[in-house]
Amino acid sequence: MAKKRFIAGAICPSCSQQDTLRWWQENDVEQVECVSCGHSDVRAPQSVEQSDQLSTETKQQVIGIFKPED
Ligand SMILES: [Zn+2]
C-alpha cells in the first residue's frame, strides 16, 4: 500500500483549492491527486519543484560572485 501524503501549501491547478493535493509513489512514478475535485496528475510533488528553483537561484548567485561586474 502506497502512503499518500498531502502537499502543504499546494494549490490544485484544476479547482484552485489549497491543501487538497496529495501524492504518493506508484511503481516509481509519483502520482498527484486532488481530494476536492478528483484532478489527478503524474509528476513530481510541488515541494521538489520548489527545491529545484532554489538550487537554480543559488547557482545564479554563485555565478554572480565569481563574475563581478567591473
Ligand atoms: Zn482540485
Side-chain angles (χ1 to χ4, degrees):
M1 293 278 292
K3 290 183 179 179
K4 297 184 179 181
R5 296 182 178 181
F6 280 94
I7 307 170
I11 298 174
C12 174
S14 182
C15 67
S16 299
Q17 295 291 311
Q18 193 171 18
D19 294 333
T20 58
L21 292 178
R22 59 183 181 178
W23 73 277
W24 69 99
Q25 271 200 328
E26 194 172 293
N27 299 324
D28 292 330
V29 177
E30 286 162 337
Q31 314 272 344
V32 180
E33 172 187 81
C34 175
V35 298
S36 179
C37 70
H39 169 80
S40 64
D41 205 352
V42 180
R43 62 176 183 176
Q46 193 171 7
S47 59
V48 173
E49 293 175 4
Q50 289 175 348
S51 296
D52 288 341
Q53 289 178 352
L54 286 176
S55 62
T56 301
E57 290 178 1
T58 303
K59 288 177 183 175
Q60 290 175 345
Q61 289 175 357
V62 170
I63 291 173
I65 291 172
F66 283 104
K67 292 182 179 179
E69 295 183 7
D70 290 329

